[in-house]
Structures are given as structure tokens and as C-alpha cells.
Amino acid sequence: MWPDQRLCDLLGIEHPIIQAPMTGTCTPALAAAVCNAGGLGSLGCAEKPLDRIRREVAELRALTDRPFNLNFFTVDAPRTDPQTLARTRDRLKPWYDRYGLGTPPEQLPDLKAGFDAEKLDLMLELRPRMVSFHFGIPDASMLTALKSAGIILVGTATTAAEARALDHAGFDAIIAQGWEAGGHRGSHRVTRPYEGVGTVALVPQVADAVSVPVIAAGGIADGRGIAAALALGASGVQMGTAFLRCPEAATATAWRDRLRTATEADTMATDAFSGRCARALRSRYAEEMAQHHDPLPGFIQMYALSGPLLDAAPDEEVSFHLCGQALTLGRDITAADLIAQLVEETRASLARLAPR
């Protein structure tokens, strides 16, 4: 039924539907359920220690023998200048006072690069079918080593120029991530919350710019969205928010409750939590921080400042519930049932679009 089989053939899957690697909510159980239903399950590995990645991959492989994806962030070790830290601490002090947290931290943790030699060695050991990257392109030597091990490489692009750079670097497929997408924007440079290109505009431009299969992401949560992405030139889709209400996802109860009642207008792009732009449900803290666009500490050092607030404040005041603009299309069903419904919905939508 799929008009473009390139992604399915590349990854060895039945349906060109990739479950987005949502660090914190995607679990081995969720990824395995998607894999066993014919899609491609993913694990977000960016902020996890090596032993946890190894353990979760073992759990995933105990549940499925099908291909899966592991995702990493391509970011340098963060460095925050003292002036930026001082200004941010001043902005956060009223929030810390409100919840009796004392003074904001005076020092930020030293963090390593997002994808380093240790993680490369682990991938060469584990050899997943696919490794995907967010925020840019790793060193050429790393890409060569991964490709030599038979690993499919997929990168995220938020502009046609980023897609061309990924194509030139030898990536096997490219995710065209529209502005509607939940979670962190995969741009190759730090962007402001108000920057971005929508999925409908981005996908055909990326499809025209590159020779490899394009995976549409952002605002896709049902078969109508999948059919539209295919019509725009994509070979498949990546979906995250659609899976948040599945029982296999590690979505917190308060998060699930808000997803059931929120509207498509209740998300916003914010850098106030991690130091890098991400789409999440609105909160008073994020809206207040958005009133001034001063530089913030580097990604992910900013978590050291926002984390205490997330732990202490009420959910409606300070929360970082990542989700995209298609959140109202979510369903309380298993991942396997969701994949089955998505396939049938896409089939029906494609049939309506076929010439008579």
C-alpha cells in the first residue's frame, strides 16, 4: 500500500512509521511494541549513562527481534559564561523565593559532548539497525565507523540547507522536522522559540533538496497526516506525541491528564528549561521567561537551574511536558493497536486521494 517503499526497504520494516525517540517517555516496552507491530521503535539515549543504554537495549532485544533505532544529541560540551549565568540566576531568584528554594545554583555541572568516543564504541558493540542524530552532524570519522558496521544513519533537519548538509555527509535518510513537532527542535544551530518552518512547507522542500528518503515529523498523529506527508514527498513519518498516551509509554499521570484536556493552542516553544528550544505544554514559568529573550546557560546545563523548580512547583506553574501541536489526536490505546489504526487510516486516506 505504501507509494514509496524506500524507507521500509532501507530499515527492514513493514510500515514506514517511526516512533520518535522521546527521552524520558519512550521505554523498551513501547519501542518493542512498535517494532512487533511492523513499525520502527526507538529509544532516546542522549542523556543516559552507558550502562543504562546497554541495559535498555538488552530489555528491548528480549521483547523483539526486529530492527530498532537509538537516538543521540550532536552537541558540544556546554560552556556558559559567568555573565549569562549571573543574569539567569537573577531572573530565577523570584521563582526560587516563591517556593523556598534558597538561591539558584552558583555553579553549573561540567558535561561532555552529546555523542563521544565512548558512545561510538557502545554503538559498535550493540549494533542497532539505525542510529539517529539530533542537532547536527557528528565527526566524519564517527559516521564512517558506524556505516562500516552496517548501521543506518538518520539525521534531523529543520531547513532544506540542513538537509543538504546531512545528505552530503552520507546520511541514509533525513527527518524533516516541522515547527509543530513536540520536544526539542533538531536545528543544527541554537534557534529562538519563534523561529521555525512548518511541516507542510518543509517536507517538499527537503524532498526536492536531497536524494535519500525523507521522514516527515511534526503535527502528524493519524492516518490523514501520514497520507499528507506521503503526498508531500516523504517516504515515511516519525511520530512522538501520538504515542504518549499508550500504556507502554512512561508518561506521568499529570502529563497524561493534561494531554486529554489541552487544545492545539496549549503548546509553546520554550528554551527556559533546557537552554535549547523545545515545544511543550504552556506553563506560567515558560510564558514569563519568554517575555525577555536574554541568552540562557548552554544546553543542557540549564537543567541545573530549572530542575529544582520542576521538582517544587505545582504542575500548572512550572512543567516541561513535551508534546506537539497535534496532541488532541492522541488515543488511550496500546502501541500495537495504534499502529494498526494508523495503517488502516492511511489506507483509507490514500484511497480517497487516488484518481477514479
Side-chain angles (χ1 to χ4, degrees):
M1 62 171 282
W2 305 109
D4 184 345
Q5 281 287 137
R6 288 185 298 162
L7 188 66
C8 291
D9 294 342
L10 176 68
L11 298 174
I13 57 178
E14 184 180 354
H15 308 303
I17 301 171
I18 299 173
Q19 164 247 315
M22 303 169 288
T23 302
T25 51
C26 59
T27 63
L30 175 61
V34 173
C35 293
N36 290 332
L40 188 81
S42 304
L43 292 177
C45 301
E47 301 168 30
K48 296 175 182 176
L50 301 184
D51 60 343
R52 181 175 173 185
I53 297 173
R54 186 179 282 108
R55 182 175 67 253
E56 289 189 354
V57 169
E59 293 176 15
L60 176 54
R61 282 184 162 143
L63 296 170
T64 186
D65 60 357
R66 299 191 181 187
F68 58 85
N69 167 48
L70 301 181
N71 175 261
F72 295 91
F73 293 161
T74 308
V75 290
D76 295 330
R79 297 289 182 266
T80 299
D81 64 82
Q83 293 79 14
T84 296
L85 175 57
R87 285 194 299 267
T88 305
R89 292 180 70 244
D90 288 343
R91 292 179 67 187
L92 295 185
K93 190 175 185 308
W95 284 92
Y96 271 64
D97 291 343
R98 186 177 304 165
Y99 298 108
L101 296 174
T103 59
E106 297 180 4
Q107 291 186 327
L108 300 177
D110 289 327
L111 300 172
K112 298 192 296 184
F115 189 75
D116 57 14
E118 289 183 336
K119 289 177 179 173
L120 172 63
D121 289 342
L122 182 60
M123 291 304 96
L124 297 178
E125 171 194 333
L126 298 177
R127 300 204 176 198
R129 180 59 176 162
M130 171 178 150
V131 170
S132 62
F133 293 100
H134 218 50
F135 303 135
I137 303 173
D139 291 340
S141 60
M142 291 181 167
L143 298 180
T144 298
L146 292 167
K147 289 178 76 73
S148 297
I151 296 171
I152 301 299
L153 300 181
V154 176
T156 301
T158 60
T159 65
E162 291 175 353
R164 283 190 288 268
L166 291 165
D167 195 14
H168 181 74
F171 279 73
D172 299 294
I174 295 168
I175 298 164
Q177 185 196 38
W179 191 74
E180 302 93 327
H184 282 96
R185 184 177 300 156
S187 53
H188 297 191
R189 62 179 181 85
V190 177
T191 59
R192 295 293 193 182
Y194 53 79
E195 296 181 69
V197 181
T199 305
V200 171
L202 179 64
V203 170
Q205 294 182 71
V206 170
D208 288 347
V210 303
S211 58
V212 297
V214 173
I215 302 159
I220 302 168
D222 63 11
R224 293 170 296 181
I226 296 173
L230 298 177
L232 291 170
S235 299
V237 298
Q238 178 171 278
M239 306 167 66
T241 302
F243 290 95
L244 286 176
R245 286 165 56 186
C246 293
E248 300 93 339
T251 312
T253 300
W255 192 343
R256 290 178 188 269
D257 291 343
R258 290 190 64 186
L259 286 171
R260 294 186 184 101
T261 59
T263 73
E264 72 281 1
D266 288 336
T267 71
M268 64 179 292
T270 175
D271 55 6
F273 293 93
S274 70
R276 191 146 184 159
C277 189
R279 184 171 294 282
L281 289 173
R282 295 180 182 275
S283 69
R284 181 180 171 190
Y285 164 78
E287 291 180 329
E288 183 176 301
M289 291 290 284
Q291 295 175 13
H292 304 284
H293 295 293
D294 295 331
L296 295 173
F299 178 84
I300 55 176
Q301 284 183 321
M302 183 62 193
Y303 280 136
L305 296 168
S306 63
L309 291 171
L310 283 166
D311 292 337
D315 189 78
E316 66 275 7
E317 289 285 301
V318 185
S319 62
F320 196 38
H321 298 323
L322 299 170
C323 59
Q325 290 182 325
L327 75 168
T328 64
L329 301 176
R331 317 170 209 197
D332 294 292
I333 58 176
T334 67
D337 286 343
L338 177 57
I339 292 291
Q341 289 189 17
L342 292 172
V343 171
E344 286 306 309
E345 290 169 1
T346 306
R347 191 191 309 274
S349 295
L350 291 175
R352 287 197 298 271
L353 294 172
R356 298 185 183 278

